[in-house]
Amino acid sequence: MGVPDNIYSSIRAAAKRFEDINKENYGWSFALPTLKNRVAGLLGLLQRAMYPGIFGEKPLALENIGKAVRKYLRLSARQLDGILKDVLPDQNGDCIRSVENQFINSLSDIADCLKSDIRAAYEGDPAACSEQEILLAYPAFEAISIYRLAHRLHELSVPLIPRMMTEYAHRITGIDIHPGAKIGRYFFIDHGTGVVIGETCTIGEHVKLYQGVTLGAKSFELDEHGNPVKGIKRHPDIGDHVVIYSGATILGGNTRIGDNCVIGGNVWLTHSVEAGKKIFYNNGD
């Protein structure tokens, strides 16, 4: 059955409108073809290279692990090269290759850091029966592993791609970690849904967060034109060996949570807390 003439006329009008909108406002996007899919593809390749038994496409014999990892790393490098050429069009080949080499060389250190995160999850969750369960089933592992890859690209001053990576993780896990945040080893997010960690947040080692925690900014400073001021410290600093329970909100660039603190569920904090303190929500206060 064909499209009725009146519907076809509407389709043509809508198509022309979308054509004009894209040419006028989003012309830049046509220089970045399929970028979202390619970034997701890059993450998949990197995950297969680092954990071929978890993310691999087919069963692997132990004697073939090295061959598979080399294949995935070659594919990752090729995918990254094409992406960097798109988002860094003004950089020469030597600069792009330098970024690629530094990133690939950092993958073993990232894997070591993730090993500590897996251990923190196992030790921090009595429901975790094994480290295998964490790798296979925990959304926090996927979100944190993608964050650590994205953070390294952020450190290398790669634009756009780190944020696309962590927003991809946000979409599939419900955990929102900005790639600019600085997070120490042995990091664990239990359950995970609704966690938000802002761009200028720093988190020490052996920190555990529960679902719904926000490490965010207070109201933004505005410039003379009424626009938010960029590039300033806006998010809190969290010390070592801190536990923050579900629904807690900690805001502000001048807010520091000291080492060995416990922040209870649903607490709202915009001021610093000395080391070793326990802060709980009291509905009567």
Side-chain angles (χ1 to χ4, degrees), residues 1 21 41 97 112 137 141 149 155 161 173 190 204 217 230 232 236 256 268 273 279:
M1 180 181 294
I21 289 171
R97 281 189 292 273
D112 285 342
F141 169 72
L149 293 167
E155 289 181 321
I161 302 309
T173 68
D190 201 354
K230 307 285 186 177
I232 61 173
R256 161 81 185 177
W268 174 280
V273 176
I279 306 297

Side-chain angles (χ1 to χ4, degrees), residues 123-201:
E123 295 174 352
D125 184 4
C129 297
S130 65
E131 293 189 0
Q132 291 94 323
E133 182 179 2
I134 291 155
L135 281 158
L136 288 164
Y138 277 43
F141 169 72
E142 191 143 9
I144 294 168
S145 64
I146 290 173
Y147 153 77
R148 294 206 184 277
L149 293 167
H151 179 69
R152 182 59 182 138
L153 289 174
H154 178 86
E155 289 181 321
L156 293 169
S157 300
V158 174
L160 191 57
I161 302 309
R163 190 67 186 274
M164 292 179 69
M165 287 179 163
T166 55
E167 288 301 332
Y168 173 80
H170 183 193
R171 186 165 77 247
I172 63 175
T173 68
I175 298 169
D176 182 2
I177 310 175
H178 194 287
K182 297 178 180 179
I183 301 176
R185 297 166 67 90
Y186 294 94
F187 181 54
F188 176 41
I189 303 173
D190 201 354
H191 303 295
T193 305
V195 166
V196 177
I197 301 173
E199 176 187 17
T200 62
C201 185

Side-chain angles (χ1 to χ4, degrees), residues 114-130:
L114 287 169
K115 187 175 181 180
S116 77
D117 299 330
I118 295 164
R119 192 65 194 171
Y122 178 70
E123 295 174 352
D125 184 4
C129 297
S130 65

Side-chain angles (χ1 to χ4, degrees), residues 231-260:
I232 61 173
K233 172 72 171 165
R234 307 184 306 281
H235 305 94
D237 298 318
I238 310 298
D240 297 333
H241 297 279
V242 172
V243 178
I244 306 175
Y245 283 95
S246 61
T249 298
I250 304 173
L251 305 178
N254 295 321
T255 303
R256 161 81 185 177
I257 307 301
D259 297 345
N260 301 296

Side-chain angles (χ1 to χ4, degrees), residues 20-79:
D20 293 342
I21 289 171
N22 275 274
K23 286 179 177 178
E24 181 178 350
N25 299 304
Y26 310 119
W28 53 267
S29 68
F30 298 98
L32 303 172
T34 66
L35 186 60
K36 292 187 72 159
N37 290 337
R38 286 187 291 146
V39 169
L42 173 61
L43 284 171
L45 291 168
L46 290 167
Q47 289 173 321
R48 290 176 201 134
M50 297 171 74
Y51 306 100
I54 303 295
F55 296 100
E57 300 165 303
K58 58 185 179 181
L60 274 177
L62 291 179
E63 61 268 21
N64 293 327
I65 292 175
K67 180 180 178 181
V69 169
R70 287 190 294 273
K71 180 187 80 170
Y72 290 130
L73 286 175
R74 285 195 301 270
L75 293 172
S76 297
R78 186 182 306 163
Q79 184 90 326

